[in-house]
Amino acid sequence: MKKVFVKSYGCQMNVYDAERMADMLTTEGYAETKAMEEADLVILNTCHIREKAAEKVYSELGRVRELKKERQTHGQETKIVVAGCVAQAEGKEILRRAPAVDVVVGPQNYHNLPELLRKARSERVVDTEFPIEDKFDHLPKPSKAMIRNRGVSSFLTIQEGCDKFCTFCVVPYTRGAEVSRSVSKIVDEALRLADAGVRELTLIGQNVNAYHGEGPDGSIWSLGKLLHRLAEIPGIARLRYTTSHPRDMDDELIAAHRDLPALMPYLHLPVQSGSNRILDEMNRKHTGDEYRRLIERIRKAQANLALSSDFIVGFPGETDAEFEDTMRLVADVGFASSFSFKYSPRPGTPAAEMGLQVPEAVKAERLARLQNLLETQRQAFNRGTVGQTLDVLLEKPGRHPGQMAGKSPYLQAVQIETDCHHIGDIVTVRITQAGSNSLFGEVVKPGNQAAA
Ligand code: SAM
Ligand code: SF4
């Protein structure tokens, strides 16, 4: 049997796509391996969101090329595929910069991989056209055993692409226009996942709350309505969704946070900046105060919300005072966890052409201050859960024998002293201690069992 190694960079969407590629290649006679050295096929599923992410691919390709040479000396062939957003953005340029690469395939075309690999026996190939057909219709369904292997929490893509065109972002160019999958296709996939033992679904999309898929009755369903339908599936105990845009948090979705016990009290809602002028330059189409008011409304619906965000510091022209607006917004709103980045100019985006790029040292200093504040808030949030009883979904064995590891409703990692429960069980835990990356707790009630 031939072996395939897939390495994924960047967002959850890429994790999901990497799994779909692996599913598809199993039907082509490949088995997945975790060791690149023994792979007959190496796939790098790349990310183009920041310069560093894109450059990582080229340095990894250097390493893979050495491996290919080494295997060649033993008479073994290795095919190299570059997939994902760097493939989409750079296309043929990858073949020029990295002569060892055999196939370049964009994120909307990976269902063509078997055909591309056949072609690659005689020539190097690039496939980055945006196709008319839906790639999901061409992907094979993973077996129960493969789903089980991946655990009790699963991603499910419901929406792809983005029409928002934030001026810093490459996503609309690499992932294409916004498209929602139909409710029936999503429900079918969710039923299959539940049947294989999945307990938690995280619905994903570049702009997931802009979801507007065709319902079984022919009408257009919003994300709020879709969540209600998915919550009815037996076995599915937890629902999450990511990543959302503040402009698309509609009343139905906010109400779902109040009415749907399966919808976890966690929300990743990127604000990017606290300065109205910078938000306008970013084309985010909301102000800092509109974001504050939105969070107030969501917290009215779900008082225990753990809020998370992305931030960019050093956007072109950002002044000290405008950066302070971001610090103020963070202090006002309070975040349970966050991701923050130095602005990275991306070729072809409007912001990369703007004057007054902020010096690297200033970006670094602002990022350090912001991360300091965000980390203080994260730790305070985690300490605040000590003494509480929380439901924990058990996902894997813990760090030490006799321990299990799982996630709280707020997406915190929790380590529990227990060996009498199963992966997939949801147990009620009293949190006893907050470490820097995990909480620790003891089971007070066995709770909701996974199906045998
Ligand atoms: N759709 C999401 C939204 O609207 O917030 C974001 C998706 S993007 C894949 C993830 C994060 O990467 C963004 O929220 C932003 O903070 C960051 N990002 C995107 N482009 C960037 C750039 N050019 N430089 C630095 N960070 C960037
Ligand atoms: Fe990028 Fe998100 Fe803006 Fe779309 S909404 S352009 S994915 S940052």
Side-chain angles (χ1 to χ4, degrees):
M1 207 177 208
K2 289 176 288 180
K3 292 194 174 151
V4 55
F5 171 86
V6 192
K7 178 162 180 176
S8 216
Y9 301 80
C11 65
Q12 295 98 331
M13 208 83 180
N14 266 7
V15 176
Y16 180 89
D17 288 346
E19 289 177 354
R20 299 296 74 76
M21 285 188 245
D23 292 346
M24 192 171 46
L25 291 164
T26 341
T27 62
E28 293 287 310
Y30 284 90
E32 217 179 333
T33 173
K34 301 269 174 244
M36 196 199 276
E37 306 72 47
E38 59 174 38
D40 305 284
L41 175 60
V42 173
I43 302 179
L44 301 185
N45 194 27
T46 61
C47 173
H48 201 242
I49 200 82
R50 284 168 290 277
E51 192 181 359
K52 249 193 204 157
E55 281 306 316
K56 258 191 209 159
V57 177
Y58 286 104
S59 53
E60 186 70 2
L61 279 173
R63 214 163 72 83
V64 188
R65 187 176 69 169
E66 290 309 308
L67 213 93
K68 183 170 180 160
K69 270 198 216 149
E70 169 70 23
R71 281 174 50 94
Q72 232 159 13
T73 60
H74 299 102
Q76 294 166 316
E77 198 195 14
T78 317
K79 289 282 180 209
I80 304 177
V81 175
V82 177
C85 291
V86 175
Q88 187 64 42
E90 307 216 342
K92 274 197 189 121
E93 173 66 8
I94 298 178
L95 296 188
R96 198 189 61 75
R97 273 185 74 176
V101 171
D102 300 284
V103 177
V104 174
V105 60
Q108 301 308 343
N109 308 71
Y110 62 77
H111 58 292
N112 297 334
L113 255 181
E115 176 61 25
L116 296 171
L117 288 169
R118 273 186 278 282
K119 275 195 190 155
R121 288 183 196 143
S122 54
E123 57 179 325
R124 302 170 78 206
V125 280
V126 176
D127 185 2
T128 52
E129 293 298 314
F130 284 117
I132 310 290
E133 79 265 31
D134 178 355
K135 70 173 174 236
F136 293 108
D137 289 343
H138 299 267
L139 297 174
K141 320 230 175 306
S143 66
K144 250 189 186 184
M146 285 179 86
I147 298 173
R148 283 222 175 98
N149 235 346
R150 290 178 181 146
V152 291
S153 179
S154 176
F155 291 134
L156 201 175
T157 293
I158 63 162
Q159 178 279 336
E160 276 203 277
C162 182
D163 296 339
K164 295 272 191 298
F165 289 93
C166 300
T167 54
F168 52 80
C169 184
V170 287
V171 168
Y173 311 96
T174 56
R175 290 277 176 167
E178 206 177 279
V179 181
S180 295
R181 294 177 75 192
S182 71
V183 172
S184 64
K185 286 182 190 169
I186 294 166
V187 170
D188 278 357
E189 189 168 336
L191 284 167
R192 257 196 329 277
L193 292 168
D195 188 44
V198 165
R199 310 286 333 261
E200 175 177 85
L201 291 178
T202 302
L203 309 183
I204 55 172
Q206 265 88 28
N207 219 325
V208 75
N209 61 342
Y211 178 79
H212 56 281
E214 192 187 338
D217 51 356
S219 71
I220 296 300
W221 283 31
S222 67
L223 179 58
K225 194 163 176 185
L226 177 69
L227 285 163
H228 277 274
R229 171 66 189 89
L230 294 173
E232 290 168 4
I233 294 179
I236 297 298
R238 291 183 159 194
L239 294 168
R240 304 181 185 275
Y241 59 93
T242 196
T243 296
S244 296
H245 191 289
R247 293 274 298 181
D248 293 316
M249 286 304 297
D250 64 17
D251 291 344
E252 206 174 7
L253 184 53
I254 295 176
H257 278 280
R258 179 193 61 213
D259 301 334
L260 208 52
L263 182 56
M264 291 295 100
Y266 173 91
L267 175 63
H268 184 64
L269 192 64
V271 64
Q272 313 296 355
S273 166
S275 151
N276 291 345
R277 192 188 73 83
I278 294 293
L279 285 167
D280 188 40
E281 291 281 302
M282 287 177 164
N283 193 28
R284 292 291 288 182
K285 297 199 167 71
H286 61 80
T287 64
D289 279 346
E290 280 164 353
Y291 185 86
R292 286 178 175 88
R293 284 197 291 273
L294 176 61
I295 299 303
E296 265 172 37
R297 280 175 54 218
I298 305 170
R299 283 182 169 148
K300 260 194 198 133
Q302 174 50 271
N304 292 325
L305 191 79
L307 183 66
S308 157
S309 176
D310 295 340
F311 296 91
I312 295 178
V313 302
F315 184 82
E318 184 189 69
T319 63
D320 285 342
E322 286 164 342
F323 171 68
E324 295 306 328
D325 288 340
T326 300
M327 294 292 281
R328 212 167 5 259
L329 182 135
V330 172
D332 290 350
V333 174
F335 293 90
S337 69
S338 280
F339 302 91
S340 42
F341 313 99
K342 289 189 268 187
Y343 168 71
S344 165
R346 305 312 294 129
T349 59
E353 306 301 318
M354 291 178 183
L356 283 172
Q357 296 284 331
V358 174
E360 205 46 39
V362 176
K363 286 187 203 172
E365 193 261 336
R366 287 180 189 167
L367 186 66
R369 277 190 57 207
L370 176 63
Q371 290 189 336
N372 208 357
L373 177 58
L374 290 168
E375 179 58 14
T376 310
Q377 291 191 342
R378 187 181 74 86
Q379 286 185 18
F381 182 86
N382 286 346
R383 275 197 310 275
T385 55
V386 174
Q388 291 187 21
T389 44
L390 300 177
D391 283 348
V392 173
L393 169 61
L394 300 179
E395 293 182 337
K396 55 185 181 190
R399 286 187 207 139
H400 305 291
Q403 284 187 343
M404 292 191 81
K407 292 273 162 54
S408 78
Y410 308 124
L411 209 58
Q412 298 150 301
V414 187
Q415 298 280 331
I416 303 154
E417 301 290 333
T418 179
D419 46 16
C420 56
H421 293 95
H422 299 107
I423 287 171
D425 287 350
I426 296 174
V427 292
T428 307
V429 169
R430 199 175 69 82
I431 304 299
T432 51
Q433 195 192 329
S436 55
N437 289 313
S438 289
L439 302 179
F440 298 88
E442 56 198 20
V443 179
V444 290
K445 213 165 54 177
N448 184 339
Q449 307 297 299

